[in-house]
Amino acid sequence: MKEEKEFKISYLAAHATTIISVTLVLLLVGIIAMISIGARRETRNIRESVEISVITEDAVSDAGAQALLDTIRRYPFVKESRLVTRAQALEQWKADTGEDLEAVFGVNPLSPEIEFTLPEAYSNQDSIKSVVAEIGTLAGVAEVATPDADMLRAMNRNIEAMSVVMGVIAFVMLIISYVLISNTVRLTIYSRRFTIHTMQLVGATGGFISRPVVLNNMLAGVIAGLVASGILAVALAAAPHYVGVDFGSFIGWPDYVCIAGGLVAGGALICGIAAWIATRRYLSKDYSELFK
């Protein structure tokens, strides 16, 4: 028990710098990943909020409009839909304009309407044109109202630009993360270069020397990934209470689990690769080169 405790203390002491450095880098990567997923989710929500209104003919009753809605719901390009009855349309008109059309005309002149939103894949101008053409052929449809084309193009253009920017940031962060982690691990191996050379002198093979070094650094990467994931979990749970923002509405816990798994696996993989490369480098050096 005492030996196990001493091993844990010595391991943490020997790899403390690596674990702390890698944790900070992985924490930044995790934050970028959370921002990217949140932005992607909001992008999808914005695109799926595009609404199309189907105005029925005057002769269509509320029951007929309900039958038409049932037909429209069968199309693959319909995400969410609802029926606006004549009475509801009149109430909405009163709320928007303050004018009572029924008092003016003696009857309710408004027709039932059907409103539906599109899945993200259909939220572009070409797909909307096809949707309008398809819906326009149905019996009882007088008009299909769509969002302004310029507004839709501007929305998609801005979303695409934001996606490119987030992709570039994520790529740059991955490169920076690898470089920082690799340098940290190389410094750790550098401090053991004479031990590596001594092991070579007594006949140890390259695989025998590099295996424990790589495994120890992979373990350090796993610990760093777990610590970074824990910090992110605490931040997600505490944000609604201390910041007043529920980041869970942007990042769900299933998304967090994927990010945490990626951080742990990424930390282990990068640390392991960096340790293997650094160890192989010193295995090929002469004794005189170890002082450089």
Side-chain angles (χ1 to χ4, degrees):
M1 189 72 178
K2 183 178 179 181
E3 292 180 357
E4 182 181 353
K5 184 177 180 181
E6 289 177 350
F7 170 77
K8 290 180 180 178
I9 293 174
S10 62
Y11 177 84
L12 293 176
H15 294 83
T17 302
T18 302
I19 292 172
I20 293 172
S21 301
V22 175
T23 297
L24 294 175
V25 174
L26 292 179
L27 189 59
L28 289 175
V29 173
I31 292 172
I32 292 296
M34 290 172 66
I35 293 174
S36 299
I37 291 176
R40 179 70 186 86
R41 176 170 293 179
E42 285 305 299
T43 294
R44 184 174 64 249
N45 291 340
I46 291 172
R47 281 181 164 159
E48 291 182 348
S49 66
V50 174
E51 192 173 77
I52 292 180
S53 298
V54 179
I55 303 171
T56 62
E57 296 176 346
D58 293 337
V60 176
S61 63
D62 288 345
Q66 180 62 53
L68 179 60
L69 174 61
D70 294 338
T71 300
I72 290 176
R73 280 176 174 166
R74 298 191 186 100
Y75 286 102
F77 50 71
V78 176
K79 185 176 186 293
E80 295 180 355
S81 58
R82 71 186 187 98
L83 172 65
V84 180
T85 64
R86 290 178 181 272
Q88 290 172 337
L90 183 62
E91 289 299 319
Q92 187 62 46
W93 182 277
K94 287 180 182 179
D96 293 341
T97 65
E99 184 179 9
D100 188 353
L101 294 179
E102 193 169 22
V104 174
F105 295 99
V107 294
N108 182 356
L110 300 179
S111 303
E113 295 183 13
I114 295 170
E115 298 175 348
F116 66 90
T117 56
L118 303 171
E120 182 183 14
Y122 289 90
S123 296
N124 58 77
Q125 197 59 38
D126 292 336
S127 296
I128 289 178
K129 286 181 180 178
S130 300
V131 168
V132 171
E134 186 77 19
I135 296 296
T137 61
L138 298 177
V141 174
E143 182 184 352
V144 181
T146 62
D148 180 71
D150 292 334
M151 182 202 73
L152 196 62
R153 276 193 293 269
M155 180 191 73
N156 284 322
R157 186 167 57 248
N158 293 336
I159 288 175
E160 289 169 2
M162 184 180 68
S163 299
V164 170
V165 170
M166 291 302 299
V168 171
I169 292 175
F171 178 76
V172 171
M173 278 301 302
L174 286 175
I175 299 298
I176 294 175
S177 301
Y178 174 77
V179 172
L180 291 176
I181 294 174
S182 179
N183 288 339
T184 300
V185 173
R186 258 207 314 268
L187 288 174
T188 303
I189 307 300
Y190 177 79
S191 65
R192 302 182 59 185
R193 64 193 186 282
F194 290 108
T195 303
I196 292 174
H197 184 72
T198 301
M199 293 175 70
Q200 280 184 292
L201 292 178
V202 298
T205 63
F208 181 83
I209 295 172
S210 60
R211 189 179 302 112
V213 177
V214 171
L215 291 177
N216 282 336
N217 279 276
M218 288 183 70
L219 178 58
V222 170
I223 294 173
L226 291 173
V227 173
S229 300
I231 294 173
L232 291 177
V234 170
L236 277 176
H241 305 287
Y242 295 96
V243 184
V245 178
D246 183 12
F247 291 107
S249 61
F250 302 97
I251 303 293
W253 286 108
D255 296 323
Y256 162 77
V257 171
C258 292
I259 293 174
L263 293 180
V264 173
L269 183 62
I270 295 176
C271 287
I273 292 174
W276 184 81
I277 293 174
T279 305
R280 302 303 298 181
R281 176 186 175 190
Y282 288 111
L283 285 173
S284 61
K285 286 182 176 292
D286 295 328
Y287 181 75
S288 59
E289 296 178 308
L290 299 179
F291 293 92
K292 298 179 181 179

